[in-house]
Amino acid sequence: MRRSATQPEVFPRMKAVYSPLHARHDGGVELYRGRLVPTFETPERAEIIRAALEAAGHELLPPREIPESRLLRVHEPAFVEFLRGAHARWQSEGREGHVLPSGFPARGLRQDRRPAGISGSLGWFAFDASTPIVAGTWDAALAAARCAMTAAALVHEGQRAAYALCRPPGHHAARSTYGGYCYLNNAALAAQYLVDEGRRRVCVIDVDYHHGNGTQEIFWERDDVLFVSLHGDPETEYPWFLGYADERGAGRGAGHTLNLPLPAGSGWEAYRAALDAALAAIRAYDPEALVVSLGVDTFVSDPISSFKLEGRHYPLIGALLAGLGLPTVVVQEGGYAVAEIGANVAGVLGAFTA
Ligand code: OKP
Ligand code: ZN
């Protein structure tokens, strides 16, 4: 679309919140199919998305210095303190190697006390071994959370939509657990920000390939946030232990969680039908704002996922989401087919400026 100085901006650019601090989270390994491999969640991902957004004419801006106290609207203080200090503590106890947990409080083990030492603490707060903590992890996670909350602030202040280029992602992180490459729940923080600023019903729709177990847990007993998720069936797909169709919320939140698992290998037709069901549930809830957990690991050649969406489907997803006509915060989650990640994200966002 060509513009000149004399022409009005008919196709306004989208505000996209980005921080270079994401790059401090790098160099980790994850346990993947029995091997320690370099993590799939790399700094390159965010830089490729940034380049694609710039090429598409979106406006990049830095996150605001949102007070850290906002984190505690979603996360437990002890969890935040642990994340902030975990790497320094690991080092001060003279350990080498990567900061990964190696034991977890499974059934039959005590759930009522956190061990004092660093290894027990890691197993207490983590739920998998795919989520390393390096020296810069806290700085990056905090910056990502601020990107999400800044995008929420922009939307609250009147932007029709805003995008947060969050890295590390967030939707697997719960009130006091981390995993799945996620430390702080960026999308939940954005939704909570909108609630705290007075939006009465907020919906989080999670279109990442993996179930957003952390977001679901955070809002499980609440009726002021509707959580809707399309994802690979946890019978076979990560995170395996949450995301089944019979999970509908509890207490006041009963009926305010909707899971739409799809078999691994699903293509656009099945995906589109599930998305239509999600959109109908959202319209029935009549929210005042929408948060999209945007993972593009639904792409056919994603290295760790098994849906078969193609590049041309992302603008269609964007158009369907934009068609809700809601003030919308789009928060970056997964997507590991690095060569196509920028085009796929830009494909979704383009629908919000058209
Ligand atoms: C993060 B996000 C499967 C191993 C899965 C963790 C995947 C985290 C995905 N064999 N490892 O939702 O994109
Ligand atoms: Zn994912």
Side-chain angles (χ1 to χ4, degrees):
M1 195 53 52
R2 201 171 298 163
R3 265 190 280 118
S4 78
T6 53
Q7 263 179 340
E9 203 173 35
V10 184
F11 295 92
R13 299 177 300 170
M14 192 162 177
K15 291 192 190 299
V17 191
Y18 164 87
S19 166
L21 292 176
H22 80 83
R24 293 195 187 173
H25 178 59
D26 187 16
V29 293
E30 61 173 279
L31 185 59
Y32 182 72
R33 301 187 175 176
R35 291 194 160 84
L36 277 181
V37 302
T39 189
F40 290 92
E41 201 290 289
T42 58
E44 188 190 13
R45 296 177 58 248
E47 292 308 310
I48 289 177
I49 295 171
R50 181 174 67 85
L53 297 185
E54 278 174 345
H58 297 295
E59 178 189 352
L60 283 142
L61 41 131
R64 300 178 187 171
E65 288 292 310
I66 307 223
E68 290 188 39
S69 56
R70 286 266 187 182
L71 302 177
L72 306 181
R73 298 289 298 142
V74 157
H75 295 289
E76 273 186 10
F79 174 65
V80 171
E81 284 321 299
F82 168 79
L83 285 179
R84 193 199 312 276
H87 188 267
R89 198 165 151 212
W90 180 270
Q91 289 208 314
S92 75
E93 296 192 16
R95 299 190 180 202
E96 286 163 23
H98 298 274
V99 187
L100 288 174
S102 48
F104 303 94
R107 291 167 306 286
L109 302 177
R110 285 187 68 160
Q111 312 286 326
D112 63 328
R113 57 175 296 152
R114 162 156 65 116
I118 180 65
S119 288
S121 295
L122 283 168
W124 175 258
F125 286 117
F127 66 85
D128 73 14
S130 62
T131 313
I133 295 176
V134 298
T137 297
W138 172 255
D139 291 346
L142 177 60
R146 283 183 166 142
C147 286
M149 290 188 283
T150 300
L154 289 166
V155 165
H156 180 65
E157 292 159 12
Q159 292 290 317
R160 185 257 184 275
Y163 170 73
L165 209 178
C166 295
R167 185 187 168 268
H171 70 151
H172 296 301
R175 178 160 291 282
S176 62
T177 56
Y178 74 98
Y181 314 154
C182 300
Y183 307 86
L184 299 170
N185 193 314
N186 308 312
L189 287 161
Q192 184 65 48
Y193 190 99
L194 291 164
V195 168
D196 287 342
E197 297 306 304
R199 304 282 168 151
R200 276 173 304 186
R201 288 173 310 285
V202 176
C203 172
V204 181
I205 179 169
D206 189 323
V207 298
D208 186 278
Y209 179 78
H210 305 94
H211 177 247
N213 60 286
T215 315
Q216 173 172 311
E217 186 201 300
I218 287 164
F219 298 119
W220 182 246
E221 294 192 36
R222 289 173 51 173
D223 60 3
D224 56 345
V225 179
L226 174 72
F227 175 70
V228 179
S229 181
L230 282 73
H231 49 268
D233 189 340
E235 290 281 7
T236 59
E237 305 307 289
Y238 184 91
W240 305 300
F241 306 108
L242 213 64
Y244 295 87
D246 64 351
E247 299 158 16
R248 300 300 312 268
R252 291 176 66 94
H256 291 89
T257 289
L258 176 62
N259 284 319
L260 299 161
L262 294 165
S266 292
W268 173 246
E269 217 168 301
Y271 192 88
R272 168 75 208 255
L275 190 51
D276 281 341
L279 297 174
I282 295 168
R283 287 197 170 93
Y285 183 65
D286 189 26
E288 295 185 351
L290 182 71
V291 175
V292 179
S293 265
L294 176 61
V296 293
D297 42 9
T298 48
F299 186 62
V300 58
S301 61
D302 192 274
I304 64 168
S305 312
S306 322
F307 284 171
K308 293 184 174 136
L309 302 199
E310 291 164 33
R312 66 194 155 91
H313 296 129
Y314 292 96
L316 301 176
I317 293 172
L320 288 165
L321 294 171
L324 289 166
L326 294 165
T328 300
V329 184
V330 181
V331 175
Q332 187 63 45
E333 303 285 358
Y336 309 98
V338 186
E340 294 91 353
I341 190 174
N344 291 342
V345 170
V348 174
L349 297 188
F352 286 89
T353 61

XYZ file of all heavy atoms in Angstrom, residues 171-172 208-210 297 334 336, ligand 2:
75
model
N 2.781 -18.753 27.931
C 1.484 -19.375 28.251
C 1.564 -20.671 29.070
O 0.551 -21.107 29.600
C 0.630 -19.560 26.983
C 1.124 -20.610 26.037
N 0.271 -21.315 25.218
C 2.375 -21.074 25.764
C 0.961 -22.157 24.482
N 2.229 -22.037 24.788
N 2.738 -21.272 29.170
C 2.866 -22.453 30.035
C 3.156 -22.090 31.498
O 3.050 -22.947 32.377
C 3.971 -23.387 29.529
C 3.699 -23.978 28.186
N 2.582 -24.745 27.924
C 4.377 -23.904 27.009
C 2.602 -25.128 26.653
N 3.669 -24.629 26.070
N -1.705 -21.077 20.000
C -0.434 -21.802 19.929
C -0.728 -23.308 19.774
O -1.776 -23.786 20.212
C 0.352 -21.555 21.225
C 1.760 -22.137 21.202
O 1.898 -23.360 21.455
O 2.703 -21.380 20.939
N 0.202 -24.030 19.190
C 0.017 -25.484 19.012
C -0.147 -26.204 20.348
O -0.838 -27.226 20.436
C 1.218 -26.089 18.274
C 1.097 -27.584 18.093
C 0.282 -28.116 17.095
C 1.756 -28.471 18.940
C 0.144 -29.480 16.933
C 1.631 -29.843 18.786
C 0.816 -30.340 17.782
O 0.673 -31.693 17.630
N 0.515 -25.682 21.384
C 0.503 -26.349 22.694
C -0.538 -25.723 23.609
O -0.744 -24.510 23.590
C 1.891 -26.247 23.338
C 2.991 -26.766 22.467
N 3.735 -25.952 21.633
C 3.460 -28.028 22.297
C 4.629 -26.688 20.982
N 4.486 -27.951 21.364
N 3.420 -22.108 15.817
C 3.965 -23.467 15.736
C 2.920 -24.447 15.213
O 3.154 -25.664 15.190
C 4.567 -23.934 17.072
C 3.729 -23.569 18.281
O 2.588 -23.094 18.114
O 4.223 -23.763 19.414
N 4.696 -19.341 20.782
C 5.665 -20.203 20.111
C 5.747 -20.006 18.607
O 5.155 -19.089 18.026
N 8.602 -22.258 15.772
C 10.013 -22.674 15.759
C 10.531 -22.963 14.354
O 11.696 -23.322 14.199
C 10.192 -23.868 16.718
C 9.591 -23.516 18.064
C 8.299 -23.930 18.411
C 10.260 -22.650 18.924
C 7.707 -23.525 19.600
C 9.677 -22.238 20.110
C 8.402 -22.678 20.443
O 7.818 -22.246 21.600
Zn 3.716 -23.900 21.377
